[in-house]
């Protein structure tokens, strides 16, 4: 059985990251429960992200990036670091249960969807009714889980 490039893209870019991010959330809780500070947590993550970056660059070498590419990736790193730091802060300082925190911060997908619809004009290629219904389900689900 041969999978289409789109299905492979969904598996590689969707399922594998979901497994990685889901497991990473649990490891954040293990780390913070073991006494890791927010700064130390981010430093350890940053070092290992850099190692993974070197491996990806070695296995899949790319051309020299443009200034816009470097700026976008750098801003991504800043925002991701801030988000990850605030998750750790919620776990450490406020003892927020991970099971309630994850559904809320994973509503970030809705922000990415909204921005992609506008910035990249992806609204032209989606069923807006299904998208809105799905977004409502994500919000309701996230709120229900967070107040459980």
């Amino acid at each position: 059985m041969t999978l289409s490039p789109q299905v492979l893209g969904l598996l590689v870019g969707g399922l594998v990251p979901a497994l990685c991010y889901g497991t990473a959330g649990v490891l954040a809780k293990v780390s913070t429960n073991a006494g890791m500070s927010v700064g130390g947590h981010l430093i350890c993550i940053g070092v290992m992200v850099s190692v993974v970056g070197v491996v990806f660059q070695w296995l899949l070498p790319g051309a020299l990036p443009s200034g816009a590419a470097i700026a976008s990736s750098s801003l991504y790193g800043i925002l991701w670091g801030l988000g990850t730091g605030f998750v750790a802060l919620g776990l450490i300082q406020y003892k927020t249960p991970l099971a309630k925190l994850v559904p809320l911060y994973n509503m970030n997908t809705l922000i990415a969807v909204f921005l992609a619809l506008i910035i990249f004009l992806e609204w032209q290629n989606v069923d807006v009714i299904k998208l809105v219904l799905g977004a409502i389900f994500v919000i309701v689900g996230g709120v229900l889980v967070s107040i459980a």
Side-chain angles (χ1 to χ4, degrees), residues 116-118 120-128:
L117 290 173
I118 294 169
F120 304 118
L121 304 176
E122 291 183 5
W123 59 269
Q124 298 170 349
N125 302 318
V126 298
D127 183 334
V128 176

Side-chain angles (χ1 to χ4, degrees), residues 9-116:
L10 290 172
L11 291 174
V12 169
L15 181 61
V16 172
L19 294 170
C20 292
Y21 292 144
T23 305
V26 171
L27 292 172
K29 178 81 172 182
V30 171
S31 172
T32 57
N33 280 351
M36 182 64 81
S37 67
V38 174
H41 182 69
L42 289 170
I43 290 168
C44 288
I45 291 169
V47 167
M48 295 318 298
V49 167
S50 295
V51 168
V52 171
V54 168
V55 171
F56 265 93
Q57 185 62 27
W58 179 63
L59 293 174
L60 304 165
L64 272 165
S66 67
I70 292 170
S72 296
S73 291
S74 298
L75 185 55
Y76 179 105
I78 290 168
L79 293 172
W80 186 85
L82 285 169
T84 301
F86 281 112
V87 168
L89 187 62
L91 292 169
I92 295 167
Q93 184 71 29
Y94 302 103
K95 307 293 184 215
T96 307
L98 184 64
K100 292 184 175 192
L101 194 59
V102 171
L104 290 175
Y105 75 68
N106 276 325
M107 283 193 218
N108 70 72
T109 56
L110 297 177
I111 295 166
V113 167
F114 176 74
L115 291 173

